[in-house]
Amino acid sequence: MTIDHFYTHKIEVPKDSSNWHDVGVPKSNFYIGMVSQVYRDSAYIQVENLSLFNHRNIRLESLIPNSINYFVVIDSVQGIFIAEVYQSRVNSSDSVHESMNRGIKENVYPEIAVNVIGILDGNKFKLAGLKTVGITDKVYIANNKLISIYLNSIEVNDYQIKDMHGNTIKHQKALENLMKLESSESQSLSLQPNTLFDRHLMVVGTTNSGKSTSSLTILDKLVSAEKKVW
Ligand SMILES: Nc1ncnc2c1ncn2[C@@H]1O[C@H](COP(=O)(O)OP(=O)(O)OP(=O)(O)O)[C@@H](O)[C@H]1O
Ligand SMILES: [Mg+2]
């Protein structure tokens, strides 16, 4: 599956059902740059120029590429990788300041660093294993479609409720809206109760970061879903 698949989808034109149109925001609007350094779990991306860092609102997608903690996808011969931006910088030299002051964004080349999280395999992102991105691979800001595929990938198992003959009666209902992504307000995380409790669950964070509140939220959702809690 190519990356274009995720940046367009086909809709039928009502009057003439043989007529299909590509809609969606073309991926060129999400383009940010090329991979310039590759490490085992991370990569650096040379942003084409500073103007690509501008905040953009494209239909329902809001892109804020000059910060960190947002997702990008990397189009590589090995496949489509998803990565999270953890660092963003421009070289601090005189000429950069001058260019920025004069509003010339074309000759400032920012650099972003990303953690590579996974590679697309079927309809889920999986761990990349030994596969890595390559130098000059193109990088795009992940759109809502790709972010929701990533969020669905966190759920590795599909927990099913079976009858006495071993036939699946139903799937375990997910606890909805457990978390919102800072970079994409419209996306929220839903997980099946067993995904949380199959093994052990540890909540880590500094003082006042919301550990107790998050734990209470999970308990509250469990009670609402009529699950046994003790
Ligand atoms: N998702 C959230 N959105 C906004 N405010 C939040 C959120 N989660 C927690 N808070 C607020 O942050 C504060 C700290 O939350 P909480 O007590 O859960 O942190 P904690 O990690 O358990 O702290 P401690 O380490 O002191 O136990 C509270 O005032 C809480 O209302
Ligand atoms: Mg607490």
Side-chain angles (χ1 to χ4, degrees):
M1 207 177 286
T2 69
I3 196 159
D4 296 281
H5 174 81
F6 299 97
Y7 285 91
T8 51
H9 53 268
K10 294 202 186 298
I11 53 155
E12 216 170 307
V13 176
K15 274 188 200 146
D16 174 11
S17 58
S18 64
N19 198 354
W20 292 78
H21 271 240
D22 273 339
V23 294
V25 182
K27 73 177 191 300
S28 58
N29 287 301
F30 293 82
Y31 181 67
I32 194 148
M34 275 185 185
V35 174
S36 60
Q37 292 176 52
V38 179
Y39 299 91
R40 188 162 295 159
D41 307 308
S42 60
Y44 281 83
I45 292 144
Q46 175 106 63
V47 177
E48 193 128 300
N49 61 56
L50 199 58
S51 63
L52 286 184
F53 259 10
N54 289 347
H55 173 214
R56 302 160 237 182
N57 258 324
I58 309 167
R59 301 227 190 124
L60 298 173
E61 313 257 3
S62 174
L63 313 180
I64 314 175
N66 63 347
S67 63
I68 57 166
N69 294 332
Y70 62 94
F71 294 99
V72 296
V73 284
I74 301 163
D75 191 12
S76 162
V77 281
Q78 307 238 40
I80 299 168
F81 291 84
I82 187 156
E84 188 174 16
V85 178
Y86 69 87
Q87 181 187 297
S88 199
R89 63 188 283 268
V90 287
N91 280 326
S92 48
S93 70
D94 279 350
S95 59
V96 169
H97 285 289
E98 216 169 278
S99 299
M100 284 163 97
N101 286 342
R102 286 195 282 139
I104 305 167
K105 296 183 166 182
E106 276 66 37
N107 43 15
V108 179
Y109 304 105
E111 187 177 71
I112 60 179
V114 298
N115 279 320
V116 178
I117 306 169
I119 186 168
L120 192 68
D121 180 8
N123 58 356
K124 284 199 170 174
F125 284 104
K126 304 260 163 79
L127 293 176
L130 293 176
K131 292 189 177 130
T132 60
V133 298
I135 291 183
T136 71
D137 285 348
K138 288 191 169 149
V139 184
Y140 303 87
I141 298 167
N143 63 3
N144 283 331
K145 202 167 175 182
L146 285 155
I147 291 172
S148 75
I149 292 173
Y150 167 62
L151 290 178
N152 286 330
S153 310
I154 294 172
E155 197 109 74
V156 180
N157 290 322
D158 176 20
Y159 294 97
Q160 299 163 352
I161 299 164
K162 301 206 159 142
D163 67 9
M164 51 202 243
H165 307 293
N167 301 319
T168 305
I169 308 173
K170 55 181 175 179
H171 300 265
Q172 195 171 76
K173 205 162 174 275
L175 307 172
E176 303 283 342
N177 203 3
L178 287 169
M179 179 199 92
K180 280 224 183 306
L181 286 183
E182 196 180 22
S183 56
S184 180
E185 284 283 318
S186 58
Q187 302 276 347
S188 70
L189 180 70
S190 309
L191 294 172
Q192 300 164 101
N194 276 26
T195 303
L196 287 169
F197 298 113
D198 219 13
R199 292 185 182 82
H200 301 290
L201 174 66
M202 184 161 80
V203 182
V204 186
T206 56
T207 300
N208 221 28
S209 60
K211 301 180 295 293
S212 301
T213 311
S214 305
S215 311
L216 286 172
T217 306
I218 293 171
L219 288 174
D220 184 51
K221 305 254 178 203
L222 285 168
V223 171
S224 315
E226 299 180 344
K227 300 280 171 200
K228 237 188 288 176
V229 190
W230 67 92

PDB file of all heavy atoms in Angstrom, residues 110-133:
ATOM      1  N   PRO A 110      15.559  24.206   9.152  1.00  0.00           N
ATOM      2  CA  PRO A 110      15.414  23.607  10.474  1.00  0.00           C
ATOM      3  C   PRO A 110      15.663  22.101  10.421  1.00  0.00           C
ATOM      4  O   PRO A 110      15.643  21.488   9.351  1.00  0.00           O
ATOM      5  CB  PRO A 110      13.965  23.885  10.842  1.00  0.00           C
ATOM      6  CG  PRO A 110      13.449  24.804   9.804  1.00  0.00           C
ATOM      7  CD  PRO A 110      14.263  24.589   8.587  1.00  0.00           C
ATOM      8  N   GLU A 111      15.883  21.537  11.587  1.00  0.00           N
ATOM      9  CA  GLU A 111      16.141  20.104  11.678  1.00  0.00           C
ATOM     10  C   GLU A 111      15.247  19.547  12.782  1.00  0.00           C
ATOM     11  O   GLU A 111      15.158  20.143  13.852  1.00  0.00           O
ATOM     12  CB  GLU A 111      17.601  19.901  12.034  1.00  0.00           C
ATOM     13  CG  GLU A 111      18.047  18.474  12.005  1.00  0.00           C
ATOM     14  CD  GLU A 111      19.537  18.385  12.312  1.00  0.00           C
ATOM     15  OE1 GLU A 111      19.926  18.621  13.469  1.00  0.00           O
ATOM     16  OE2 GLU A 111      20.296  18.100  11.386  1.00  0.00           O
ATOM     17  N   ILE A 112      14.564  18.455  12.523  1.00  0.00           N
ATOM     18  CA  ILE A 112      13.771  17.843  13.587  1.00  0.00           C
ATOM     19  C   ILE A 112      14.277  16.420  13.839  1.00  0.00           C
ATOM     20  O   ILE A 112      14.788  15.765  12.930  1.00  0.00           O
ATOM     21  CB  ILE A 112      12.245  17.848  13.299  1.00  0.00           C
ATOM     22  CG1 ILE A 112      11.900  17.093  12.034  1.00  0.00           C
ATOM     23  CG2 ILE A 112      11.701  19.256  13.232  1.00  0.00           C
ATOM     24  CD1 ILE A 112      10.418  17.059  11.752  1.00  0.00           C
ATOM     25  N   ALA A 113      14.157  16.004  15.081  1.00  0.00           N
ATOM     26  CA  ALA A 113      14.574  14.652  15.448  1.00  0.00           C
ATOM     27  C   ALA A 113      13.331  13.864  15.824  1.00  0.00           C
ATOM     28  O   ALA A 113      12.423  14.389  16.472  1.00  0.00           O
ATOM     29  CB  ALA A 113      15.533  14.711  16.625  1.00  0.00           C
ATOM     30  N   VAL A 114      13.280  12.622  15.379  1.00  0.00           N
ATOM     31  CA  VAL A 114      12.084  11.805  15.633  1.00  0.00           C
ATOM     32  C   VAL A 114      12.474  10.445  16.215  1.00  0.00           C
ATOM     33  O   VAL A 114      13.546   9.925  15.932  1.00  0.00           O
ATOM     34  CB  VAL A 114      11.257  11.564  14.341  1.00  0.00           C
ATOM     35  CG1 VAL A 114      10.749  12.867  13.770  1.00  0.00           C
ATOM     36  CG2 VAL A 114      12.039  10.791  13.297  1.00  0.00           C
ATOM     37  N   ASN A 115      11.591   9.922  17.036  1.00  0.00           N
ATOM     38  CA  ASN A 115      11.685   8.526  17.461  1.00  0.00           C
ATOM     39  C   ASN A 115      10.834   7.708  16.517  1.00  0.00           C
ATOM     40  O   ASN A 115       9.644   7.995  16.360  1.00  0.00           O
ATOM     41  CB  ASN A 115      11.113   8.349  18.879  1.00  0.00           C
ATOM     42  CG  ASN A 115      12.116   8.741  19.921  1.00  0.00           C
ATOM     43  OD1 ASN A 115      13.305   8.449  19.780  1.00  0.00           O
ATOM     44  ND2 ASN A 115      11.651   9.409  20.967  1.00  0.00           N
ATOM     45  N   VAL A 116      11.417   6.702  15.904  1.00  0.00           N
ATOM     46  CA  VAL A 116      10.634   5.859  15.006  1.00  0.00           C
ATOM     47  C   VAL A 116       9.862   4.847  15.860  1.00  0.00           C
ATOM     48  O   VAL A 116      10.453   4.120  16.657  1.00  0.00           O
ATOM     49  CB  VAL A 116      11.547   5.158  13.979  1.00  0.00           C
ATOM     50  CG1 VAL A 116      10.733   4.247  13.081  1.00  0.00           C
ATOM     51  CG2 VAL A 116      12.279   6.199  13.152  1.00  0.00           C
ATOM     52  N   ILE A 117       8.549   4.852  15.724  1.00  0.00           N
ATOM     53  CA  ILE A 117       7.714   4.013  16.585  1.00  0.00           C
ATOM     54  C   ILE A 117       7.381   2.683  15.938  1.00  0.00           C
ATOM     55  O   ILE A 117       7.427   1.646  16.569  1.00  0.00           O
ATOM     56  CB  ILE A 117       6.387   4.728  16.926  1.00  0.00           C
ATOM     57  CG1 ILE A 117       6.656   6.116  17.519  1.00  0.00           C
ATOM     58  CG2 ILE A 117       5.564   3.906  17.905  1.00  0.00           C
ATOM     59  CD1 ILE A 117       5.402   6.947  17.628  1.00  0.00           C
ATOM     60  N   GLY A 118       7.045   2.711  14.666  1.00  0.00           N
ATOM     61  CA  GLY A 118       6.614   1.459  14.054  1.00  0.00           C
ATOM     62  C   GLY A 118       6.512   1.548  12.546  1.00  0.00           C
ATOM     63  O   GLY A 118       6.714   2.612  11.955  1.00  0.00           O
ATOM     64  N   ILE A 119       6.200   0.422  11.954  1.00  0.00           N
ATOM     65  CA  ILE A 119       6.070   0.336  10.498  1.00  0.00           C
ATOM     66  C   ILE A 119       4.698  -0.241  10.180  1.00  0.00           C
ATOM     67  O   ILE A 119       4.199  -1.108  10.909  1.00  0.00           O
ATOM     68  CB  ILE A 119       7.220  -0.525   9.906  1.00  0.00           C
ATOM     69  CG1 ILE A 119       7.190  -0.517   8.383  1.00  0.00           C
ATOM     70  CG2 ILE A 119       7.163  -1.970  10.418  1.00  0.00           C
ATOM     71  CD1 ILE A 119       8.452  -1.102   7.766  1.00  0.00           C
ATOM     72  N   LEU A 120       4.108   0.243   9.110  1.00  0.00           N
ATOM     73  CA  LEU A 120       2.761  -0.206   8.760  1.00  0.00           C
ATOM     74  C   LEU A 120       2.814  -1.632   8.223  1.00  0.00           C
ATOM     75  O   LEU A 120       3.595  -1.954   7.336  1.00  0.00           O
ATOM     76  CB  LEU A 120       2.160   0.729   7.716  1.00  0.00           C
ATOM     77  CG  LEU A 120       0.667   0.545   7.472  1.00  0.00           C
ATOM     78  CD1 LEU A 120      -0.144   0.972   8.693  1.00  0.00           C
ATOM     79  CD2 LEU A 120       0.220   1.320   6.254  1.00  0.00           C
ATOM     80  N   ASP A 121       1.947  -2.487   8.799  1.00  0.00           N
ATOM     81  CA  ASP A 121       1.873  -3.873   8.364  1.00  0.00           C
ATOM     82  C   ASP A 121       0.393  -4.216   8.291  1.00  0.00           C
ATOM     83  O   ASP A 121      -0.250  -4.364   9.320  1.00  0.00           O
ATOM     84  CB  ASP A 121       2.626  -4.751   9.385  1.00  0.00           C
ATOM     85  CG  ASP A 121       2.598  -6.227   9.010  1.00  0.00           C
ATOM     86  OD1 ASP A 121       2.131  -6.539   7.905  1.00  0.00           O
ATOM     87  OD2 ASP A 121       3.038  -7.052   9.828  1.00  0.00           O
ATOM     88  N   GLY A 122      -0.140  -4.289   7.094  1.00  0.00           N
ATOM     89  CA  GLY A 122      -1.578  -4.481   6.953  1.00  0.00           C
ATOM     90  C   GLY A 122      -2.292  -3.227   7.409  1.00  0.00           C
ATOM     91  O   GLY A 122      -1.971  -2.138   6.958  1.00  0.00           O
ATOM     92  N   ASN A 123      -3.226  -3.363   8.356  1.00  0.00           N
ATOM     93  CA  ASN A 123      -3.947  -2.183   8.811  1.00  0.00           C
ATOM     94  C   ASN A 123      -3.493  -1.718  10.191  1.00  0.00           C
ATOM     95  O   ASN A 123      -4.213  -1.005  10.889  1.00  0.00           O
ATOM     96  CB  ASN A 123      -5.457  -2.439   8.788  1.00  0.00           C
ATOM     97  CG  ASN A 123      -5.817  -3.631   9.650  1.00  0.00           C
ATOM     98  OD1 ASN A 123      -4.919  -4.289  10.194  1.00  0.00           O
ATOM     99  ND2 ASN A 123      -7.097  -3.907   9.784  1.00  0.00           N
ATOM    100  N   LYS A 124      -2.296  -2.146  10.603  1.00  0.00           N
ATOM    101  CA  LYS A 124      -1.770  -1.729  11.903  1.00  0.00           C
ATOM    102  C   LYS A 124      -0.293  -1.385  11.807  1.00  0.00           C
ATOM    103  O   LYS A 124       0.421  -1.940  10.980  1.00  0.00           O
ATOM    104  CB  LYS A 124      -1.942  -2.847  12.931  1.00  0.00           C
ATOM    105  CG  LYS A 124      -3.370  -2.972  13.431  1.00  0.00           C
ATOM    106  CD  LYS A 124      -3.474  -3.724  14.725  1.00  0.00           C
ATOM    107  CE  LYS A 124      -4.892  -3.569  15.257  1.00  0.00           C
ATOM    108  NZ  LYS A 124      -5.143  -4.374  16.423  1.00  0.00           N
ATOM    109  N   PHE A 125       0.135  -0.492  12.698  1.00  0.00           N
ATOM    110  CA  PHE A 125       1.569  -0.255  12.821  1.00  0.00           C
ATOM    111  C   PHE A 125       2.137  -1.295  13.785  1.00  0.00           C
ATOM    112  O   PHE A 125       1.578  -1.525  14.854  1.00  0.00           O
ATOM    113  CB  PHE A 125       1.841   1.152  13.364  1.00  0.00           C
ATOM    114  CG  PHE A 125       1.647   2.224  12.337  1.00  0.00           C
ATOM    115  CD1 PHE A 125       0.510   3.022  12.359  1.00  0.00           C
ATOM    116  CD2 PHE A 125       2.583   2.434  11.344  1.00  0.00           C
ATOM    117  CE1 PHE A 125       0.324   4.016  11.400  1.00  0.00           C
ATOM    118  CE2 PHE A 125       2.404   3.421  10.382  1.00  0.00           C
ATOM    119  CZ  PHE A 125       1.271   4.220  10.416  1.00  0.00           C
ATOM    120  N   LYS A 126       3.249  -1.924  13.369  1.00  0.00           N
ATOM    121  CA  LYS A 126       3.924  -2.908  14.218  1.00  0.00           C
ATOM    122  C   LYS A 126       5.299  -2.377  14.562  1.00  0.00           C
ATOM    123  O   LYS A 126       5.793  -1.446  13.909  1.00  0.00           O
ATOM    124  CB  LYS A 126       4.087  -4.234  13.451  1.00  0.00           C
ATOM    125  CG  LYS A 126       2.780  -4.810  12.917  1.00  0.00           C
ATOM    126  CD  LYS A 126       2.247  -5.921  13.811  1.00  0.00           C
ATOM    127  CE  LYS A 126       0.783  -6.232  13.544  1.00  0.00           C
ATOM    128  NZ  LYS A 126       0.565  -7.060  12.353  1.00  0.00           N
ATOM    129  N   LEU A 127       5.973  -2.996  15.517  1.00  0.00           N
ATOM    130  CA  LEU A 127       7.344  -2.602  15.827  1.00  0.00           C
ATOM    131  C   LEU A 127       8.216  -2.826  14.587  1.00  0.00           C
ATOM    132  O   LEU A 127       8.028  -3.806  13.863  1.00  0.00           O
ATOM    133  CB  LEU A 127       7.880  -3.410  17.008  1.00  0.00           C
ATOM    134  CG  LEU A 127       7.197  -3.118  18.346  1.00  0.00           C
ATOM    135  CD1 LEU A 127       7.733  -4.038  19.421  1.00  0.00           C
ATOM    136  CD2 LEU A 127       7.378  -1.661  18.750  1.00  0.00           C
ATOM    137  N   ALA A 128       9.167  -1.920  14.380  1.00  0.00           N
ATOM    138  CA  ALA A 128       9.917  -1.956  13.124  1.00  0.00           C
ATOM    139  C   ALA A 128      10.997  -3.032  13.098  1.00  0.00           C
ATOM    140  O   ALA A 128      11.507  -3.371  12.035  1.00  0.00           O
ATOM    141  CB  ALA A 128      10.521  -0.595  12.844  1.00  0.00           C
ATOM    142  N   GLY A 129      11.365  -3.585  14.267  1.00  0.00           N
ATOM    143  CA  GLY A 129      12.413  -4.603  14.297  1.00  0.00           C
ATOM    144  C   GLY A 129      13.713  -4.048  13.750  1.00  0.00           C
ATOM    145  O   GLY A 129      14.159  -2.989  14.167  1.00  0.00           O
ATOM    146  N   LEU A 130      14.289  -4.737  12.793  1.00  0.00           N
ATOM    147  CA  LEU A 130      15.569  -4.282  12.246  1.00  0.00           C
ATOM    148  C   LEU A 130      15.384  -3.344  11.057  1.00  0.00           C
ATOM    149  O   LEU A 130      16.350  -2.849  10.483  1.00  0.00           O
ATOM    150  CB  LEU A 130      16.426  -5.484  11.839  1.00  0.00           C
ATOM    151  CG  LEU A 130      16.903  -6.350  13.011  1.00  0.00           C
ATOM    152  CD1 LEU A 130      17.652  -7.563  12.501  1.00  0.00           C
ATOM    153  CD2 LEU A 130      17.791  -5.545  13.957  1.00  0.00           C
ATOM    154  N   LYS A 131      14.152  -3.125  10.674  1.00  0.00           N
ATOM    155  CA  LYS A 131      13.915  -2.225   9.543  1.00  0.00           C
ATOM    156  C   LYS A 131      14.115  -0.776   9.985  1.00  0.00           C
ATOM    157  O   LYS A 131      13.667  -0.389  11.062  1.00  0.00           O
ATOM    158  CB  LYS A 131      12.498  -2.395   9.018  1.00  0.00           C
ATOM    159  CG  LYS A 131      12.288  -3.749   8.363  1.00  0.00           C
ATOM    160  CD  LYS A 131      10.956  -3.807   7.658  1.00  0.00           C
ATOM    161  CE  LYS A 131      10.784  -5.129   6.943  1.00  0.00           C
ATOM    162  NZ  LYS A 131       9.501  -5.751   7.258  1.00  0.00           N
ATOM    163  N   THR A 132      14.775  -0.010   9.178  1.00  0.00           N
ATOM    164  CA  THR A 132      14.955   1.400   9.500  1.00  0.00           C
ATOM    165  C   THR A 132      14.617   2.265   8.294  1.00  0.00           C
ATOM    166  O   THR A 132      14.543   1.771   7.168  1.00  0.00           O
ATOM    167  CB  THR A 132      16.417   1.718   9.899  1.00  0.00           C
ATOM    168  OG1 THR A 132      17.255   1.370   8.791  1.00  0.00           O
ATOM    169  CG2 THR A 132      16.854   0.961  11.128  1.00  0.00           C
ATOM    170  N   VAL A 133      14.420   3.551   8.590  1.00  0.00           N
ATOM    171  CA  VAL A 133      14.186   4.487   7.492  1.00  0.00           C
ATOM    172  C   VAL A 133      15.517   4.721   6.786  1.00  0.00           C
ATOM    173  O   VAL A 133      16.568   4.318   7.283  1.00  0.00           O
ATOM    174  CB  VAL A 133      13.600   5.813   8.026  1.00  0.00           C
ATOM    175  CG1 VAL A 133      12.269   5.576   8.689  1.00  0.00           C
ATOM    176  CG2 VAL A 133      14.554   6.501   8.986  1.00  0.00           C
TER     177      VAL A 133
END
